[in-house]
Structure formats: C-alpha cells, structure tokens
Amino acid sequence: LALYFHIGEREEKCIIEDLPSDTLVVGNYKVQRWDIHKHDFLESAPGLGMFVTVSSPSGEVLLSKLYGPQGTFSFTSYLSGEHIICFQSNSTRFVAIGGSKLRIHLDIRVGEHFLDESAIQAKDKVNEVNVRLEHLIEQIHHVTKEQDYEREREEKFRKTSEETNSNILWWAIIQTLILISVGIWQIKSLRDFFISKKLV
C-alpha cells in the first residue's frame, strides 16, 4: 500500500488495515510542509516529527512513538481484524493557517521479511540459495495466513447472509399472517355491522 494524504499540523489522520493474526507490518513515511510563498510542498523543517499510534481490533495500543520528519515503524498483529494506524504531527502551532498543511507519503508493507542484501552477496552460493529459500518460505507462510483469514471472513459473511435471509423469510411469513388476520377481522366486523343494521 503506497499513498499520500494531507493533514493540518495539529490534525490526527488514521487509516485502517485489515490484517490476519501474527503478521509483520512495516511502514515508511515522509512528511512535507506546504510553503505558502512557493505554493509547493517542500521538505519538512527540522524538528517536525510524527506521532505514530497503532491500535489492535480489541483497542490495545501496539505502538505509540514519536518519529522524525521521515521514518520507519513496524509492528506485529496479534489478532486478526481491523488495525487502526494514526498519524499526528508534534507541531507546536495553535492556529491552522494555509501554510500549516502537511503532506504525508506513506508506504505500508504487510507480511514482508526483507532480504539481507549482505547475505545475498555472500561468495558461498549455497548460503545465497538458502537465504532466498528462507525468504520464499516466509512469503508462502504469509500467503497461507492471508488465505486462512480471508476464508474466515468469507465464512462469517456467509453465516450473516444466511441469518439475514432466514430473518427476512420469517418476517414475510409474519406479515402475511398479520394481513390475513386483519382481513378476516375486517370481514367479520363488516358482517356483524350489516347484521346489526338488518341489511342482510
């Protein structure tokens, strides 16, 4: 996931990542500040940093740390579900003006275990193959976890759909019974009215 977004200097912005359990997430970001005179985003001024906070689906804080104008953060998901990743600058400005707009470039990698390039460049070809094989096995494990998680979500969705369809069917039956009951009551009331007025 690679994107950028704009926020005010004291504004908090959050994104949601739906993750399987036991998954490594690595994020890289860079902050740029809007220059009102040049009408462009320039490299951030020294001292501007970002608070990065990550919350699990249960609300547990997995990461809460202050980084610089660009940095790398990482965390491991312990539960499957929606994880909330929030960014807020450590700016001391109190008034939001046009020049206080920030652009955050964000690159999030899920389930990646990075290859050690120094190990790959080793002279021993067997070691190089082993490193690449281990990396490939880790990627396969990650894909398997992703598939299991998607299967769980699909099963939950199917159960919810079946319950909804069942509820709709029972509601339709109840509505039909109510309509029939009201119709019978109206016919009986009209019949009693006509009899009381000696019209039949």
Side-chain angles (χ1 to χ4, degrees):
L1 172 68
L3 54 88
Y4 73 84
F5 53 87
H6 295 156
I7 62 172
E9 284 200 25
R10 299 186 60 80
E11 180 186 356
E12 184 179 53
K13 191 86 164 184
C14 298
I15 62 170
I16 295 174
E17 276 289 321
D18 204 350
L19 302 169
S21 61
D22 194 27
T23 300
L24 174 67
V25 178
V26 178
N28 292 294
Y29 74 88
K30 181 176 77 170
V31 183
Q32 294 176 306
R33 179 181 276 146
W34 175 256
D35 188 299
I36 197 167
H37 303 294
K38 296 185 178 179
H39 299 286
D40 195 9
F41 285 97
L42 305 178
E43 294 304 317
S44 180
L48 181 66
M50 293 298 293
F51 287 104
V52 180
T53 307
V54 180
S55 301
S56 71
S58 65
E60 178 188 357
V61 176
L62 301 178
L63 174 69
S64 181
K65 190 174 176 182
L66 174 63
Y67 295 88
Q70 63 181 37
T72 299
F73 62 92
S74 64
F75 65 94
T76 301
S77 62
Y78 297 103
L79 295 172
S80 58
E82 293 182 343
H83 289 67
I84 301 172
I85 306 171
C86 297
F87 299 87
Q88 185 176 28
S89 76
N90 68 339
S91 172
T92 56
R93 296 189 187 190
F94 291 97
V95 181
I97 59 174
S100 65
K101 189 164 59 173
L102 303 175
R103 175 185 284 174
I104 300 177
H105 297 265
L106 178 63
D107 181 20
I108 292 181
R109 295 175 185 156
V110 177
E112 276 199 29
H113 294 269
F114 302 106
L115 285 172
D116 183 356
E117 292 299 329
S118 62
I120 291 174
Q121 293 171 0
K123 294 178 181 177
D124 189 347
K125 292 295 180 183
V126 174
N127 286 344
E128 180 182 340
V129 171
N130 281 339
V131 170
R132 291 194 180 275
L133 189 59
E134 285 173 11
H135 181 72
L136 186 60
I137 290 169
E138 285 176 354
Q139 294 291 22
I140 290 169
H141 286 317
H142 173 65
V143 170
T144 304
K145 278 191 285 187
E146 285 276 1
Q147 287 177 333
D148 290 341
Y149 180 53
E150 291 301 325
R151 219 178 341 255
E152 285 175 22
R153 291 183 61 194
E154 186 181 339
E155 189 175 337
K156 284 181 187 174
F157 180 74
R158 184 175 49 78
K159 284 180 181 176
T160 304
S161 298
E162 288 173 357
E163 288 172 6
T164 304
N165 289 338
S166 176
N167 291 338
I168 290 171
L169 176 63
W170 281 110
W171 177 241
I173 291 170
I174 290 168
Q175 280 184 315
T176 305
L177 292 174
I178 290 171
L179 286 172
I180 291 170
S181 301
V182 169
I184 291 171
W185 176 78
Q186 285 181 331
I187 290 170
K188 186 177 181 302
S189 298
L190 282 172
R191 184 171 164 272
D192 292 343
F193 174 77
F194 287 141
I195 289 173
S196 65
K197 297 293 182 179
K198 299 181 180 177
L199 297 173
V200 289

